[in-house]
Amino acid sequence: MSLIDKIDRQRLPQHIAIIMDGNGRWAKAQGKDRSFGHQEGVVSVRKMVEAATAIGLKYMTVYTFSNENWNRPEAEVQALMELLVTAIHRETLNLMKNNVRLLAIGNLNRLPKKARATLLACIQETSVNTGTTLVLALSYSAKWEIVAAVKQLAAEVKAGTITPNDITEAVVSDHLTTKGIPDPDLLIRTGGEKRISNFLLWQLSYAEFYFTDVFWPNFREEELYGAILYYQQRERRFGKISEQLNL
């Protein structure tokens, strides 16, 4: 029996965020180049999208490439950008078939011209889809995002369009790259590490965290369903006490 049969469809997380870690270590363990791990990681993304569609998940955000990743060896960065273009070309048909809408967050202007054009074309083509929304965090870091939001808010205060007293949590959220996207309910990190690595710092404030030693290329549908079952066992209090939830 698959774990999908144990999932309560009435208590699904609305949004799952994933830090896809372990591609390079998985490849090295098999005597392969790191790029081979990244290629297999794309397969896992496809499997996650199909699994998300199967259970009716509304949003899934995957940490695809961080601002800090630009500091990796040039050859690896170039290979990742080429893989991005290839993967989007290859997966667009699957996204359309599965009614999946693609979005992207991050400093997309840093992407190579071809990668950015390919990404934007896929976003446009899938914009008509109404099923799961897949969000790629590309050239993204949470500190960069928050600083950019602060700068924008400061400029609006200076221009007189808002006052400091107008700045609320909701206003800050509306100045982040995730505007219009609900905050994640569940964060999954593969590969054995237990940190969030500058990912969605504001948005993850009340998310449940699920860490697994499974490397991303080995993370498949059953692992996702297991993470969702873990989430469904959690009591989400949002600062309240258990007794208040049962009133």
Side-chain angles (χ1 to χ4, degrees), residues 41-227:
V42 173
V43 178
S44 286
V45 174
R46 182 191 311 133
K47 295 296 184 181
M48 290 308 98
V49 170
E50 292 172 352
T53 300
I55 61 174
L57 183 68
K58 292 183 179 179
Y59 290 88
M60 176 177 285
T61 297
V62 291
Y63 204 4
T64 309
F65 190 87
S66 72
N67 269 338
E68 291 75 21
N69 288 154
W70 291 112
N71 298 320
R72 288 189 176 186
E74 184 178 351
E76 181 172 351
V77 171
Q78 183 177 350
L80 284 168
M81 292 298 106
E82 291 174 356
L83 177 60
L84 175 64
V85 172
T86 302
I88 291 175
H89 276 308
R90 183 187 304 128
E91 299 302 326
T92 298
L93 184 60
N94 285 329
L95 296 178
M96 296 302 296
K97 182 177 68 174
N98 289 302
N99 194 29
V100 174
R101 178 178 63 146
L102 183 70
L103 295 177
I105 59 173
N107 188 2
L108 304 183
N109 289 329
R110 290 195 68 180
L111 296 176
K113 185 177 180 180
K114 184 176 181 181
R116 186 171 183 272
T118 302
L119 173 66
L120 294 179
C122 184
I123 289 173
Q124 177 62 35
E125 184 172 352
T126 62
S127 63
V128 297
N129 294 338
T130 58
T132 300
T133 295
L134 173 65
V135 184
L136 303 184
L138 276 166
S139 189
Y140 172 90
S141 80
K143 288 185 177 181
W144 162 84
E145 175 183 45
I146 293 170
V147 168
V150 170
K151 287 180 178 179
Q152 188 177 351
L153 285 166
E156 291 176 15
V157 169
K158 184 177 181 180
T161 55
I162 63 171
T163 70
N165 288 334
D166 293 327
I167 300 174
T168 62
E169 288 186 12
V171 170
V172 173
S173 292
D174 283 345
H175 284 73
L176 299 176
T177 61
T178 51
K179 178 182 179 180
I181 301 172
D183 290 345
D185 302 297
L186 172 64
L187 170 73
I188 299 171
R189 179 166 187 152
T190 63
E193 300 292 352
K194 294 179 174 64
R195 56 177 179 265
I196 59 175
S197 299
N198 205 2
F199 183 46
L200 299 175
L201 296 178
W202 176 279
Q203 298 88 338
L204 290 173
S205 57
Y206 269 105
E208 302 296 330
F209 286 16
Y210 179 86
F211 299 108
T212 175
D213 291 333
V214 176
F215 290 144
W216 179 245
N218 286 333
F219 196 86
R220 292 294 192 260
E221 296 92 337
E222 290 299 298
E223 282 74 26
L224 177 67
Y225 300 147

